[in-house]
């Protein structure tokens, strides 16, 4: 395939919020010939078409008929319901999704009746504002997009070409490896940030927060996240997340014991390890 | 005093790194008539004079003779040693400092021989890069500057005028209240950020960190901090910091139990509280 050939002829995106809308924008700006259908509520479809994130759309999954790729980009629970409908309708399309956990949707595919071609997906990208109006064609540029192949272990090259074409860096791993990794790099930081803001607020009070510096602000950036999304993610990834929470509690308890003993070894050890991992993390962002 | 009258005639700043250097720059740009003397190593004094953060300087505290305000802006341990030297030399100057904990320096003032006029200080400002070359005249603009008055409970109006003149918002509290508050809004977030980066790095590994998003990056911004500064702060604020660490461990254990039970109440409660405190925190930054 030449770099200019569109990897798909017609793509249906179910759920055109920030992620689905940005994907539509990126696809249409890279390959204007690809027909993009938006599946969402009528007012969202209208906005997607107006912003050129889709050519057309409708508010039922039947609109995905004839697509050769279907992207499920709605909230996780909705994605599972859409998948069931696609299985009932019957489709030859390749199906992928953009959800934050992967073992649950893979289980749903296996247990859901008619067989479909499914490759799980998870773009590691986002913005503070949700919704189609916040969509950007460069949302995925330089960002990771994890793919978890089905039981045959292969990733169709057209899907890889599509995602690399919108600027993403594709990482392939099993659904288990994905959920274990995301527990550490995403789900644990979210719970830690919320727990920290809760504890700091209760201790400092409204007036005390006036004396906070930018360090607290950054450390608690995630603490504005709403519970509904995270309730589902935590439940779907309970086992790995429990293990990582235990490790964080143990690290904090280690620091606490060092303070009580008056020994600096726990603090030195934790800070040295943290600084080393922080440099590794920043190297990845510098490359992106 | 008119807004244009300089509140002091001559100010000595001991330690002209990021904080001391920025204070010198801010004072000289607001009141060129104030004579600022930098006390530091010769090459640092030379840089401070070159950058117009000071008029002159020397590398011994004797250079503070004749100043009517002495600002101790060196690392905490050095500030205490400088204070001893000022007490030995004898000085009629008002003395303040910029250290991150306040009970320890107030104890040092009380136990250190000759009485001096001392008001503890703590500017809540900083930057990623330390040193005189990173100094900026607007470092304190809109930022809190906490003052902890001596035993008579009063803050000299000249000191308040000086700090407000460089743009800071002055908060007055006891050394105990300062240390309790800073444990929550600064010291706990630092330990949490370092512990989180340590645990995430050990779990995800070097390659796994390639799949991290900006949330982890922000949450661990403080994790690059070096242990030496924080060893001293943690030791000086051991009691309050231990209490706050216990509260954070309890909040995380609560989330952990909720995951095990399959109940969402801990997660909902923590996220709702966190989102409410996060809004309160952001309101303060919006006002600044």
């Amino acid at each position: 395939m030449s770099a200019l050939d569109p990897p798909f002829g017609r793509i249906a995106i179910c759920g055109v919020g920030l992620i689905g809308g940005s994907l539509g924008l990126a696809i249409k700006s890279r390959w204007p010939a690809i027909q993009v259908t938006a599946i969402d509520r009528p007012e969202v479809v209208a906005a997607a078409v107006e912003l050129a994130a889709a050519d057309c759309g409708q508010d039922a999954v039947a609109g995905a008929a004839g697509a050769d790729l279907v992207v499920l980009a709605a909230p996780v629970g909705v994605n599972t319901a859409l998948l069931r409908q696609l299985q009932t309708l019957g489709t030859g399309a390749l199906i992928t999704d953009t959800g934050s956990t992967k073992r649950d949707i893979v289980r749903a595919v296996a247990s859901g009746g008619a067989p479909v071609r499914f490759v799980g997906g998870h773009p590691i990208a986002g913005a503070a504002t949700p919704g189609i109006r916040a969509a950007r064609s460069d949302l995925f540029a330089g960002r990771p997009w994890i793919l978890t192949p089905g039981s045959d272990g292969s990733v169709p090259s057209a899907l890889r070409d599509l995602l690399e074409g919108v600027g993403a860096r594709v990482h392939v791993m099993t659904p288990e490896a994905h959920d274990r990794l995301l527990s550490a790099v995403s789900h644990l930081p979210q719970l830690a940030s919320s727990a920290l803001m809760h504890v700091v607020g209760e201790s400092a009070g409204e007036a005390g927060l006036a004396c906070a510096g930018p360090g607290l602000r950054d450390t608690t950036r995630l603490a504005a996240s709403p519970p509904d999304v995270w309730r589902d993610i935590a439940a779907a990834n309970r086992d790995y997340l429990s293990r990582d929470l235990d490790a964080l509690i143990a690290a904090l308890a280690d620091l606490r014991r060092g303070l009580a003993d008056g020994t600096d070894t726990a603090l030195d050890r934790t800070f040295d390890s943290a600084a080393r991992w922080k440099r590794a993390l920043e190297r990845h962002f510098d490359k992106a």
Side-chain angles (χ1 to χ4, degrees), chain A:
Chain A
M1 189 191 82
S2 111
L4 290 173
D5 286 340
F8 295 95
R10 192 171 151 221
I11 297 175
I13 302 176
C14 303
V16 282
L18 173 67
I19 296 292
S22 294
L23 182 60
L25 279 176
I27 290 171
K28 290 300 298 182
S29 76
R30 177 79 172 75
W31 294 286
I34 295 180
Q35 278 287 109
V36 174
T37 304
I39 312 288
D40 211 315
R41 297 189 310 279
E43 68 274 21
V44 182
V45 167
V49 171
E50 176 200 331
L51 294 168
D55 298 287
C56 59
Q58 66 181 72
D59 68 350
V61 78
D68 39 18
L69 175 70
V70 179
V71 182
L72 306 176
V76 171
V78 180
N79 283 347
T80 309
L82 291 166
L83 181 72
R84 288 273 173 278
Q85 294 178 44
L86 287 166
Q87 288 178 310
T88 304
L89 289 169
T91 175
L94 177 65
I95 304 174
T96 188
D97 78 318
T98 63
S100 297
T101 49
K102 295 272 69 78
R103 285 176 296 173
D104 48 350
I105 187 101
V106 166
R107 266 194 304 267
V109 169
S111 69
V116 287
R117 287 196 300 143
F118 181 83
V119 173
H122 182 193
I124 314 294
T129 314
I132 178 73
R133 296 284 168 193
R136 289 164 29 194
S137 65
D138 66 348
L139 190 69
F140 309 109
R143 303 296 314 141
W145 193 309
I146 299 173
L147 292 178
T148 65
S151 49
D152 70 347
S154 75
V155 169
S157 60
L159 181 57
R160 181 187 282 271
D161 290 343
L162 180 84
L163 300 181
E164 291 179 348
V166 301
R169 293 182 290 118
V170 172
H171 296 256
V172 178
M173 61 186 77
T174 64
E176 290 72 24
H178 170 277
D179 287 3
R180 190 174 61 233
L181 177 58
L182 270 286
S183 169
V185 301
S186 167
H187 310 165
L188 182 69
Q190 173 61 58
L191 295 199
S193 187
S194 292
L196 178 67
M197 187 74 253
H198 162 63
V199 167
V200 169
E202 296 292 324
S203 177
E206 172 96 32
L209 292 179
C211 291
L216 180 65
R217 190 180 205 190
D218 288 345
T219 313
T220 60
R221 188 176 70 81
L222 301 173
S225 301
D228 48 350
V229 175
W230 285 95
R231 208 182 297 134
D232 292 343
I233 292 173
N237 211 12
R238 177 170 292 143
D239 47 356
Y240 290 129
L241 186 50
S242 294
R243 208 187 53 179
D244 284 331
L245 267 173
D246 285 340
L248 180 58
I249 291 170
L252 291 167
D254 195 31
L255 288 170
R256 171 70 175 82
R257 269 190 306 274
L259 279 180
D261 295 351
T263 58
D264 298 330
T265 53
L267 191 144
D268 282 333
R269 200 169 356 100
T270 305
F271 273 60
D272 285 342
S273 169
R276 197 169 56 246
W277 286 118
K278 181 61 172 167
R279 284 192 297 273
L281 177 65
E282 293 301 314
R283 278 196 297 273
H284 288 298
F285 280 97
D286 290 344
K287 274 190 292 189

